[in-house]
């Protein structure tokens, strides 16, 4: 039954049939109009783009907060921000960047790109996907509403208890933080489930596990990390919320609770979080390097194993955030070894990219420039990471600006630089227009110089004794000059950011038109138009090599037999991606949005009055009934085959 | 007065080079300018990490640029892969991975041996000091089996130079972190947990420390001084601190004491030898012998003290000392009295 695909049948494909399919697909995949229609979108392209745009807006907020922090620290005893506002702002900065920018933007990239890269029409649970997006955006708005009402959280993005507990942070500030976590992590889990199922079950026939693009591997590994890490922080923040609103004592030392338990649970999530942000970026780097060297990445298997190893080891490092809490030395040395060990898979990947660059013919473009920036900054950040893995050195560096420098090198270098490269690289695919190379090169150099000017001096500041999270410092400590340099650097980064935004806007309006594959890249998303139609591909493609488009020949088979008159795609087997069955996909619906509102009512209500969570649950139930209410266009039997039946008894065949 | 003056001079002598030399490694709070065996051991470890990592960084970035240059002079090829070249590349990459593993192993061994040095109990009879973190000041206590010989002070730790000190760390409220970069790495103060660390200053001097764990509003103004002195000076200081405060010697001081004892000061502060015995805030028995006010926020002089008493919230917003609305005469008397508590 499944051999049909492997020996493609050469069936004459009449012109009339193609245009008929096209018209049917256009009709089945068209999105409803109007505001309600806009809120009803469930296709992965819309949701993915919304994630990316929303996350970049939060990046802008977080960036403004960073600038305010830098302005306050520009000189000693500055009166620009008081401690109360400063503490709120640095908490908002960290929270925004971690929860509202870095993770969602990577998930947005995954949701947009993965279905295209593996050759399917949508993610498997389209409505759940849009529900996840709404939870994310509502969680973000909720947090910022608190901030603007002067009840922004002020206990740090890590909310250490007892400081964040009811005794030392009365009021609603930390409650807003804790409940925002619930929103965003819920959404993160949804995106992770979508991506795992997409990668496992929706791949184009022929895309066996060893032919999956490295970016898709990255998203898959990241999604598994999300599934294991995020529940920890949701539980921690729920415990915290219960301590604060219901009078439980999970973290109250006076009643036998343990403040260190918070740190363990939080960092059990918090350290993998770093890799959740970083691993997709590794996939981006691989995509860009492949495209601009016209070579497969050297050591594909080593690369995949490194990603998986990073994910596993990433769960064994959390205690290195707690070296100063007075751990038993034996335990600490275990975490030192693990923290150093994770440098090995990272090293393997760096070496493989360098080998690819060395062996290939390099075309220097803006995305590749960002990859060079990534290698430079990330290697430096990785090396300081190895340093702080050492307990004795960490006892000096921990909670100082040295660590601030380290993790900005790792996160901005390891994640934001590849991401900016990714935007320049995939912009033509998303919008149909090229970004300006000139403005892109200027962006790169301005951001690169500004970044190093801002964060390199922080290493020295930390070694000279400047702790983190201080709203001011005294003039006689000798930190003024370096802080001023860092502030100047931050302003330069902001200028780079403005040039980037200008480039995006100008290119979106009047950039050069892009064809389907302007870079001559190898992955499937470049095998359709730019921007792709809502259904991604007229015929679902098949794959016969690791670099799908490079090994494609004119008479390669395509998938047929999947219905075009309704939203439907093909499900394939996990290992070999053999065609398995047709899979109907849900169409547009307003109900995910309404359900998100109902859930919001419960979540936000529970911050003020615990019992409101039950009303929220009741409302959600009503909304879910609407969500799952059978509709004629989506309740047809999946077995019914209209097209393709004449060609084969199989549900699906490939034809050329 | 002369005692305080000598101390201030000493402080100034130690501080001046630190202020002059702003851009180098030196500084009153610099981890790169170690002044004790523990911090020196960490600093040595750091320089090993620093130099090895610098070499690695230069090699990686250099190789990237070299590879870029090489690939440009090669002819563009979509030619089939040369298996010999692939094998060679595999060898290079494997060699790099092996080198990484070796370097990490060296680091691990160096890290464990440094950890052993800084955590192990040094020889000699150590001095024990209890430090309790409060939002946002440090309570310092020199325990003694004889309760009349217990010394309690705040934000200033006197230690004998050249002798190991064992610091017991506790917290009265939230998590703080005790950190004197020139002497030792940091250690957290966690409620209901007890931590400790060893440190030693090789030479007399003033070493600044600061809270390193975010602890709320005034985390930035939670510093302290470690003052290492020759043993004789230290003993003299300790003997002096054991005493109750001097009784007010003249009418101004007597009025000042009366102001203190009849106002809200007594609700939080202790003055040994008087009825004031609250422990929410620093013990003021020998207040005038200290160099700073409000955990290193202000220097301890009359003008600063006046600012602090009248408008503590303006100086250190959010701190737990309420503003005091004293009439000018009472205030001046109080300032004179507090200034006499050496």
């Amino acid at each position: 039954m499944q051999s049909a695909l492997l020996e493609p049948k050469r069936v004459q494909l009449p012109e009339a049939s193609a245009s008929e399919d096209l018209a049917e697909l256009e009709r089945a995949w068209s999105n409803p109009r109007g505001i309600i229609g806009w809120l009803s979108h469930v296709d992965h392209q819309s949701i993915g783009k919304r994630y990316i745009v929303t996350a970049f807006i939060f990046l802008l907020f977080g960036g403004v907060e960073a600038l305010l922090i830098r302005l306050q620290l520009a000189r000693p005893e500055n009166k620009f921000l008081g401690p109360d506002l400063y503490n709120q702002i640095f908490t908002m900065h960290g929270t925004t960047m971690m929860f509202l920018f870095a993770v969602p933007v990577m998930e947005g990239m995954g949701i947009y790109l993965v279905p295209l890269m593996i050759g399917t029409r949508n993610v498997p649970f389209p409505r759940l996907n849009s529900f996840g997006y709404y939870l994310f955006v509502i969680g973000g708005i909720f947090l910022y509403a608190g901030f603007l009402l002067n009840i922004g959280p002020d206990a740090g993005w890590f909310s250490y208890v007892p400081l964040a507990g009811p005794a030392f942070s009365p009021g609603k500030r930390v409650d807003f933080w804790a409940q925002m976590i619930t929103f965003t992590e819920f959404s993160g889990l949804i995106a992770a489930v979508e991506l795992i199922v997409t990668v496992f079950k929706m791949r184009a026939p022929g895309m066996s596990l060893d032919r999956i693009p490295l970016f898709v591997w990255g998203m898959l590994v990241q999604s598994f990390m999300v599934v294991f890490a995020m529940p920890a922080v949701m539980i921690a923040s729920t415990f915290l919320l219960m301590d604060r609103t219901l009078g439980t004592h999970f973290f109250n030392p006076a009643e036998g609770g343990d403040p260190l338990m918070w740190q363990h649970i939080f960092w059990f999530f918090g350290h993998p979080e770093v890799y959740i942000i970083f691993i997709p970026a590794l996939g981006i780097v691989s995509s860009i390097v492949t495209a601009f060297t016209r070579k497969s990445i050297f050591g594909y298997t080593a690369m995949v194993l490194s990603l998986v190893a990073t994910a596993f080891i990433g769960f064994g490092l959390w205690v290195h955030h707690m070296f100063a809490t007075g751990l038993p030395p034996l335990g600490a040395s275990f975490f030192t070894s693990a923290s150093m060990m994770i440098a090995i898979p990272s090293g393997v990947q760096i070496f493989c990219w360098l080998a690819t660059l060395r062996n290939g013919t390099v075309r220097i473009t803006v995305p590749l420039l960002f990859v060079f920036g990534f290698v430079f900054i990330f290697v430096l950040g990785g090396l300081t990471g190895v340093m702080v893995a050492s307990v004795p050195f960490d006892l000096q560096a921990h909670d100082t600006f040295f660590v601030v420098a380290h993790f900005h090198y790792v996160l901005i270098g390891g994640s934001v630089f590849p991401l900016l490269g990714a935007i320049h690289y995939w912009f033509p695919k998303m919008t149909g227009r090229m970004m300006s190379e000139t403005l892109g090169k200027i962006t790169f150099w301005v951001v690169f110089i500004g970044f190093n000017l801002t964060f390199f001096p922080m290493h020295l500041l930390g070694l000279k004794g400047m702790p983190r999270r201080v709203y001011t410092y005294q003039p006689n400590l000798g930190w003024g000059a370096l802080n001023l340099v860092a502030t100047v650097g931050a302003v330069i980064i902001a200028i780079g950011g403005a040039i980037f935004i200008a480039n995006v806007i100008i290119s979106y309006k009047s950039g050069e038109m892009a064809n389907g594959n302007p870079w001559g890249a190898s992955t499937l998303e470049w095998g359709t138009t730019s921007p792709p139609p809502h259904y991604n591909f007229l015929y679902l493609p098949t794959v016969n090599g690791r670099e799908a488009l490079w090994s494609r020949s004119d008479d390669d088979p395509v998938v047929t037999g999947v219905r075009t008159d309704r939203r439907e795609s093909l499900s394939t087997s996990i290992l070999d991606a053999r065609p398995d069955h047709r899979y109907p996909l849900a169409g547009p619906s307003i109900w995910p949005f309404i359900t998100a509102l109902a859930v919001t009512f419960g979540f936000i209500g529970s911050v003020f009055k615990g019992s409101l969570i039950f009303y929220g649950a009741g409302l959600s139930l009503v909304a879910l009934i609407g969500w799952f209410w059978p509709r004629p266009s989506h309740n047809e039997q999946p077995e019914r085959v209209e097209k393709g039946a004449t060609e084969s008894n199989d549900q699906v065949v490939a034809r050329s | 007065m002369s005692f305080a003056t000598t101390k201030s001079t000493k402080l100034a002598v130690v501080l001046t080079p630190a202020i002059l030399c702003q851009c180098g490694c030196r500084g009153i709070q610099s981890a790169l300018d170690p002044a004790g065996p523990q911090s020196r051991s960490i600093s040595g470890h750091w320089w090993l990490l620093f130099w090895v990592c610098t070499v690695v960084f230069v090699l990686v970035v250099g190789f990237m640029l070299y590879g870029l240059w090489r690939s440009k002079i090669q002819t563009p090829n979509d030619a089939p892969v040369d298996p010999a070249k692939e094998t060679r590349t595999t060898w290079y990459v494997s060699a790099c991975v092996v080198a990484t593993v070796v370097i990490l192993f060296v680091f691990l061994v160096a890290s464990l041996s440094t950890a052993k040095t800084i955590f192990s109990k040094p020889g000699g009879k150590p001095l024990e000091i209890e430090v309790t973190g409060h939002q946002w000041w440090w309570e310092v206590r020199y325990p003694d089996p004889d309760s009349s010989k217990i010394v309690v002070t705040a934000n200033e730790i006197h230690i004998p130079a050249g002798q190991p000190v064992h610091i017991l760390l506790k917290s009265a409220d939230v998590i703080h972190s005790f950190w004197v970069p020139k002497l030792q790495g940091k250690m957290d103060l966690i409620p209901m947990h007890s931590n400790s660390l060893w440190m030693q200053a090789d030479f007399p001097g003033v070493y600044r420390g600061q809270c390193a764990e975010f602890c709320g509003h005034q985390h930035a103004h939670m510093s302290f001084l470690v003052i290492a002195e020759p043993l004789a000076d230290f003993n003299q200081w300790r003997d002096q601190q054991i005493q109750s405060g001097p009784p007010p010697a003249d009418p101004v001081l007597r009025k000042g004491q009366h102001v203190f004892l009849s106002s809200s000061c007594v609700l939080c502060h202790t003055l040994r030898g008087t009825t004031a015995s609250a422990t929410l805030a620093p013990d003021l028995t020998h207040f005038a012998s200290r160099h700073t006010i409000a955990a290193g926020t202000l220097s301890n002089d009359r003008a600063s003290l006046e600012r602090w008493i009248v408008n503590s919230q303006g100086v250190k917003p959010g701190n737990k000392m309420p503003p005091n609305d004293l009439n000018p005469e009472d205030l001046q008397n109080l300032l004179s009295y507090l200034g006499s508590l050496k």
Side-chain angles (χ1 to χ4, degrees):
Chain A
M1 174 174 167
Q2 288 171 343
S3 63
L5 174 85
L6 301 175
E7 291 176 31
K9 298 182 178 176
R10 298 180 186 280
V11 180
Q12 189 71 36
L13 189 64
E15 284 296 311
S17 162
S19 63
E20 203 179 294
D21 286 347
L22 183 68
E24 281 187 349
L25 279 169
E26 286 287 350
R27 207 163 34 245
W29 288 85
S30 66
N31 275 319
R33 295 179 176 282
I35 292 175
I36 292 184
W38 193 81
L39 292 170
S40 308
H41 285 206
V42 295
D43 61 300
H44 76 99
Q45 289 183 36
S46 297
I47 304 297
K49 282 191 282 193
R50 285 178 198 178
Y51 262 110
I52 296 168
V53 171
T54 315
F56 267 95
I57 291 171
F58 282 123
L59 171 68
L60 198 63
F61 291 173
V64 168
E65 285 146 14
L67 264 186
L68 294 174
I69 292 173
R70 281 315 323 163
L71 289 176
Q72 165 66 15
L73 294 179
R75 57 198 179 93
E77 293 188 337
N78 199 354
K79 300 279 182 227
F80 175 57
L81 302 172
D84 183 55
L85 198 53
Y86 184 86
N87 293 349
Q88 283 188 62
I89 286 176
F90 87 70
T91 303
M92 290 296 290
H93 170 71
T95 306
T96 303
M97 291 308 196
M98 295 305 267
F99 295 109
L100 301 177
F101 165 65
V103 176
V105 82
M106 289 305 176
E107 276 166 348
M109 295 298 285
I111 286 169
Y112 183 87
L113 288 170
V114 166
L116 282 162
M117 272 193 175
I118 61 161
T120 186
R121 298 206 191 283
N122 202 350
V123 291
F125 316 115
R127 292 182 181 176
L128 186 65
N129 198 24
S130 90
F131 175 65
Y133 169 75
Y134 290 122
L135 283 185
F136 153 61
V137 73
I138 291 170
I141 293 170
F142 169 59
L143 182 74
Y144 271 86
F147 181 52
L148 296 177
L149 295 171
N150 197 26
I151 40 177
D154 59 350
W157 85 278
F158 45 92
S159 283
Y160 272 14
V161 288
L163 182 64
F168 297 99
S169 292
K172 289 288 163 210
R173 288 181 163 189
V174 178
D175 298 335
F176 272 58
W177 179 87
Q179 206 59 308
M180 180 281 304
I181 298 290
T182 318
F183 278 107
T184 53
E185 306 308 85
F186 211 139
S187 130
L189 282 168
I190 288 172
V193 168
E194 293 280 2
L195 290 173
I196 291 173
V197 180
T198 310
V199 176
F200 276 169
K201 292 303 294 176
M202 310 282 281
R203 299 200 305 278
M207 189 185 274
S208 48
L209 278 187
D210 59 347
R211 290 174 178 174
I212 297 180
L214 285 168
F215 175 79
V216 176
W217 267 115
M219 290 311 304
L220 179 68
V221 170
Q222 183 244 24
S223 300
F224 270 103
M225 293 191 77
V226 167
V227 168
F228 288 100
M230 294 226 173
V233 73
M234 280 175 77
I235 285 177
S237 65
T238 306
F239 281 179
L240 178 63
L241 200 65
M242 287 165 76
D243 269 15
R244 295 178 52 86
T245 56
L246 300 180
T248 55
H249 297 293
F250 289 105
F251 305 119
N252 180 0
E255 298 288 339
D258 189 351
L260 278 184
M261 181 172 80
W262 166 269
Q263 297 190 19
H264 280 292
I265 309 178
F266 184 80
W267 290 117
F268 183 78
F269 144 82
H271 197 83
E273 167 92 343
V274 174
Y275 294 95
I276 287 170
I277 293 166
F278 168 59
I279 284 180
L282 299 175
I284 291 171
V285 171
S286 293
S287 297
I288 293 175
V289 169
T290 308
F292 296 109
T293 55
R294 285 200 66 83
K295 272 187 78 78
S296 290
I297 295 290
F298 177 81
Y300 175 89
T301 314
M303 294 293 283
V304 173
L305 290 178
S306 299
L307 287 176
V308 177
T310 305
F312 272 97
I313 305 171
F315 277 94
L317 312 183
W318 80 93
V319 169
H320 74 210
H321 296 265
M322 301 167 61
F323 280 159
T325 56
L327 298 162
L330 186 67
S333 45
F334 170 81
F335 287 96
T336 294
S337 327
S339 307
M340 288 185 172
M341 200 156 73
I342 202 156
I344 298 170
S346 302
V348 168
Q349 298 186 67
I350 295 276
F351 300 141
C352 286
W353 287 318
L354 292 186
T356 313
L357 284 170
R358 166 76 179 70
N359 289 348
T361 307
V362 179
R363 268 186 299 159
I364 298 187
T365 54
V366 174
L368 199 64
L369 273 182
F370 277 101
V371 168
F372 293 142
F374 154 81
V375 173
F376 182 94
I377 296 171
F378 174 73
V379 168
L380 207 160
L383 289 168
T384 55
V386 170
M387 294 175 182
V388 294
S390 154
V391 175
F393 178 66
D394 186 63
L395 292 181
Q396 288 286 22
H398 181 69
D399 271 334
T400 69
F401 268 82
F402 188 91
V403 170
V404 177
H406 156 67
F407 71 74
H408 282 93
Y409 266 81
V410 176
L411 289 177
I412 295 187
S415 201
V416 178
F417 269 71
L419 179 70
L420 289 176
I423 298 294
H424 286 86
Y425 178 64
W426 277 297
F427 191 82
K429 182 50 62 184
M430 294 182 184
T431 64
R433 289 179 185 272
M434 305 296 288
M435 276 178 87
S436 155
E437 281 282 302
T438 316
L439 283 178
K441 282 181 180 156
I442 297 173
T443 308
F444 170 76
W445 285 108
V446 172
V447 173
F448 182 77
I449 291 167
F451 172 84
N452 285 294
L453 209 55
T454 308
F455 293 103
F456 195 81
M458 291 187 187
H459 292 109
L460 255 168
L461 275 174
L463 293 170
K464 291 177 76 173
M466 183 167 174
R468 293 169 78 176
R469 299 160 186 149
V470 290
Y471 77 98
T472 192
Y473 53 93
Q474 288 162 338
N476 64 350
L477 293 164
W479 302 334
L482 291 171
N483 269 302
L484 188 61
V485 171
T487 303
V488 171
V491 173
I492 295 176
I493 299 179
I495 294 170
I499 299 171
F500 172 74
I501 294 171
N503 191 3
V504 167
I505 294 172
I506 294 170
S507 306
Y508 184 74
K509 292 230 159 100
S510 59
E512 192 192 324
M513 299 301 282
N515 62 25
N517 191 359
W519 311 113
S522 67
T523 35
L524 282 177
E525 80 275 22
W526 301 106
T528 180
T529 55
S530 295
H534 292 307
Y535 42 87
N536 291 350
F537 305 92
L538 175 55
Y539 294 109
L540 292 174
T542 62
V543 171
N544 60 13
R546 197 168 281 162
E547 309 299 341
L549 295 188
W550 292 349
S551 60
R552 176 177 274 186
S553 60
D554 288 339
D555 61 350
D556 270 358
V558 295
V559 173
T560 181
V562 173
R563 279 175 61 170
T564 49
D565 59 340
R566 66 172 191 187
R567 296 190 176 203
E568 191 172 282
S569 194
L570 174 68
S571 180
T572 51
S573 65
I574 292 186
L575 291 180
D576 298 335
R578 291 166 184 272
D580 203 15
H581 59 274
R582 298 179 348 196
Y583 181 73
L585 293 159
S589 166
I590 189 68
W591 286 102
F593 176 69
I594 295 174
T595 312
L597 291 183
V599 169
T600 301
F601 178 83
F603 282 177
I604 297 184
S606 68
V607 168
F608 296 94
K609 193 167 173 0
S611 61
L612 286 180
I613 193 89
F614 299 110
Y615 293 95
L619 286 174
S620 307
L621 191 66
V622 174
L624 284 174
I625 292 171
W627 180 331
F628 291 111
W629 198 261
R631 275 172 203 77
S633 59
H634 299 294
N635 65 351
E636 295 171 58
Q637 296 301 309
E639 287 78 22
R640 220 178 107 205
V641 178
E642 287 176 354
K643 300 179 68 67
T646 51
E647 290 152 4
S648 161
N649 288 331
D650 297 342
Q651 289 173 337
V652 181
V653 299
R655 66 182 175 186
S656 63
Chain B
M1 196 50 115
S2 67
F3 183 73
T5 319
T6 11
K7 283 289 161 118
S8 312
T9 325
K10 270 189 199 166
L11 189 64
V13 169
V14 178
L15 280 180
T16 317
I19 296 163
L20 288 177
C21 185
Q22 286 204 351
C23 289
C25 303
R26 303 185 78 81
I28 192 171
Q29 200 166 310
S30 171
L32 297 182
D33 185 17
Q38 287 84 7
S39 57
R40 196 170 307 111
S41 168
I42 300 179
S43 162
H45 181 51
W46 145 258
W47 288 113
L48 168 78
L49 297 173
F50 173 79
W51 286 114
V52 174
C53 288
T54 303
V55 170
V56 171
F57 179 71
V58 169
L59 285 178
V60 171
V61 171
F63 187 82
M64 178 175 78
L65 297 175
Y66 169 75
L68 203 61
W69 176 71
R70 272 297 296 264
S71 74
K72 280 196 134 176
I73 58 171
Q74 279 175 341
T75 47
N77 57 51
D78 284 327
V81 184
D82 171 8
K85 196 174 164 190
E86 286 285 297
T87 318
R88 239 180 8 251
T89 311
T90 311
W91 277 108
Y92 289 150
V93 170
S94 313
C96 289
V97 174
V98 170
T100 309
V101 173
V102 170
I103 290 171
L104 290 174
F105 192 74
V106 171
F107 282 1
L108 183 63
V109 172
S111 165
L112 294 180
S113 88
T114 311
K116 203 168 171 219
T117 314
I118 64 168
F119 289 133
S120 56
K121 181 176 184 290
K125 187 175 176 295
L127 173 72
E128 285 223 330
I129 304 173
E130 262 177 45
V131 173
T132 307
H134 294 259
Q135 280 182 324
W136 291 275
W137 61 282
W138 304 86
E139 179 184 338
V140 182
R141 205 178 164 85
Y142 293 73
D144 198 290
D146 177 354
S147 64
S148 68
K149 289 191 176 166
I150 294 174
V151 170
V152 180
T153 180
N155 306 323
E156 201 166 291
I157 304 172
H158 286 246
I159 60 171
Q163 191 178 319
V165 184
H166 192 214
I167 311 264
L168 304 171
L169 301 163
K170 294 174 179 175
S171 168
D173 37 49
V174 302
I175 301 175
H176 304 277
S177 195
F178 180 90
W179 186 36
V180 194
K182 290 179 71 127
L183 299 181
Q184 172 64 300
K186 60 186 70 64
M187 187 58 71
D188 289 353
L189 298 78
I190 303 170
M192 308 305 252
H193 283 251
S194 48
N195 279 333
S196 68
L197 59 81
W198 296 96
M199 65 183 200
Q200 179 177 329
D202 287 339
F203 301 104
V206 178
Y207 310 101
R208 192 174 186 269
Q210 189 166 0
C211 177
E213 181 63 81
F214 179 64
C215 55
H217 265 73
Q218 282 299 339
H219 169 55
H221 288 127
M222 187 170 165
S223 60
F224 57 97
L225 296 177
V226 174
I227 299 175
E229 301 164 304
L231 187 60
D233 289 5
F234 170 75
N235 286 333
Q236 190 195 344
W237 172 84
R238 188 171 180 167
D239 291 341
Q240 197 248 349
Q241 296 281 318
I242 289 170
Q243 313 292 323
S244 297
D250 62 48
V252 173
L253 300 188
R254 264 200 296 281
K255 280 186 197 160
Q257 187 185 47
H258 180 73
V259 173
F260 189 98
L261 295 177
S262 58
S263 72
S264 56
C265 306
V266 290
L267 297 176
C268 303
H269 293 283
T270 292
L271 279 181
R272 273 173 279 145
T274 72
T275 53
S277 57
T279 54
L280 289 175
D283 183 309
L284 298 180
T285 312
H286 297 281
F287 171 73
S289 74
R290 304 207 282 256
H291 294 97
T292 66
I293 306 176
T297 311
L298 299 170
S299 64
N300 191 357
D301 55 57
R302 194 175 171 111
S304 305
L305 184 59
E306 179 173 349
R307 259 179 85 199
W308 176 245
I309 292 176
V310 173
N311 183 18
S312 59
Q313 294 302 322
V315 175
K316 191 171 167 180
N319 89 86
K320 308 222 161 163
M321 172 139 154
N324 289 283
D325 188 17
L326 297 170
N327 70 47
E329 195 197 333
D330 283 354
L331 179 65
Q332 293 309 319
N333 291 337
L334 180 64
L335 291 174
S336 300
Y337 174 64
L338 288 173
S340 75
L341 297 173
K342 284 168 199 146

